[in-house]
């Protein structure tokens, strides 16, 4: 019986492998950015610009540029609200982007009065973009980050401070 089924099993494996190869090739072509004007198709992918995302991008695989910090005389970001302070399962901070242009948050920190700090990964907020930072553990997404604490970081009456990489205060919020 196995001898009768062996050709069909081998054919199934071959067709599955070819289908997977075709799907991956088509996916790769659809996801690759188009060459810039004046560049040939032989340009290496490392030389092409990273695709732009409209709301938020967070990736450990992108190169880390050295951005210039925005001026201190204008609000660039706000702490919109703190959700469920004292309840680690639901506790979160909502940050919203103000102004024009992208704001790179790598190295920025949210600090509580007890000295605990959440440091932002490689993350860019676009105009009108927002991000929610949960105190608990979880898997980071493009709109939600997770601090990974076992206990609550925020209490009513706490002052939430957002500091840039140089330690400048960029936003502040007192939890009601």
């Amino acid at each position: 019986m196995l001898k009768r089924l062996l050709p069909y099993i081998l054919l199934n494996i071959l067709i599955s492998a070819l289908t997977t190869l075709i799907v991956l090739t088509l996916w790769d072509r659809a996801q690759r950015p188009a060459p810039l004007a004046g560049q040939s198709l032989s340009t290496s992918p490392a030389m092409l610009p990273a695709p732009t995302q409209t709301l938020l991008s967070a990736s450990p695989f992108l190169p880390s540029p050295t951005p210039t910090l925005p001026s201190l005389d204008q609000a660039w970001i706000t702490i919109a609200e703190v959700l469920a302070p004292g309840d680690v399962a639901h506790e979160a901070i909502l940050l919203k982007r103000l102004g024009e242009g992208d704001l790179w948050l790598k190295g920025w920190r949210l600090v509580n009065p007890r000295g605990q700090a959440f440091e932002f990964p490689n993350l860019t907020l676009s105009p009108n973009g927002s991000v929610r930072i949960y105190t608990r553990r979880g898997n980071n997404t493009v709109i939600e980050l997770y601090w990974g604490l076992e206990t609550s970081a925020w209490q009513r009456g706490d002052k939430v401070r957002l500091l840039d990489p140089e330690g400048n205060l960029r936003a502040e919020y007192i939890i009601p």
Side-chain angles (χ1 to χ4, degrees):
M1 169 127 168
L2 183 60
K3 282 187 176 184
R4 284 185 34 213
L5 293 177
L6 188 60
Y8 295 107
I9 292 172
L10 292 175
L11 182 62
N12 188 355
I13 291 171
L14 179 64
I15 290 173
S16 296
L18 286 175
T19 303
T20 302
L21 180 64
I22 290 169
V23 168
L24 290 175
T25 302
L26 292 174
W27 178 262
D28 184 52
R29 286 183 186 169
Q31 299 301 316
R32 186 173 294 152
L36 298 174
Q39 285 184 329
S40 70
L41 292 175
S42 64
T43 304
S44 81
M47 297 175 67
L48 294 175
T52 303
Q53 294 183 1
T54 55
L55 288 180
L56 178 75
S57 58
S59 173
F61 306 108
L62 295 177
S64 297
T66 308
T68 305
L69 286 174
S71 65
L72 292 169
D73 61 348
Q74 178 179 347
W76 295 88
I77 192 165
T78 186
I79 301 170
E81 65 181 315
V82 177
L83 305 166
D87 178 8
V88 73
H90 299 100
E91 188 174 77
I93 292 180
L94 179 64
L95 298 181
K96 289 190 177 180
R97 173 74 175 96
L98 305 173
E100 298 297 318
D102 291 343
L103 181 61
W104 195 51
L105 293 177
K106 181 175 174 129
W108 288 49
R109 292 174 296 136
L110 277 172
V111 181
N112 71 12
R114 288 160 294 288
Q116 293 175 301
F118 170 81
E119 187 168 322
F120 284 85
N122 192 9
L123 177 88
T124 302
L125 274 180
S126 297
N128 300 318
S130 65
V131 63
R132 193 170 284 191
I133 301 93
Y134 288 93
T135 302
R136 70 179 189 268
R137 289 185 179 168
N139 295 319
N140 291 343
T141 69
V142 295
I143 59 172
E144 296 175 332
L145 300 174
Y146 294 85
W147 194 340
L149 297 181
E150 298 286 331
T151 61
S152 173
W154 310 104
Q155 303 299 323
R156 297 200 182 281
D158 279 357
K159 185 184 289 186
V160 182
R161 297 181 308 135
L162 178 64
L163 307 174
D164 67 23
E166 293 180 355
N168 299 311
L169 181 65
R170 294 306 187 129
E172 194 172 58
Y173 182 90
I174 297 176
I175 302 171

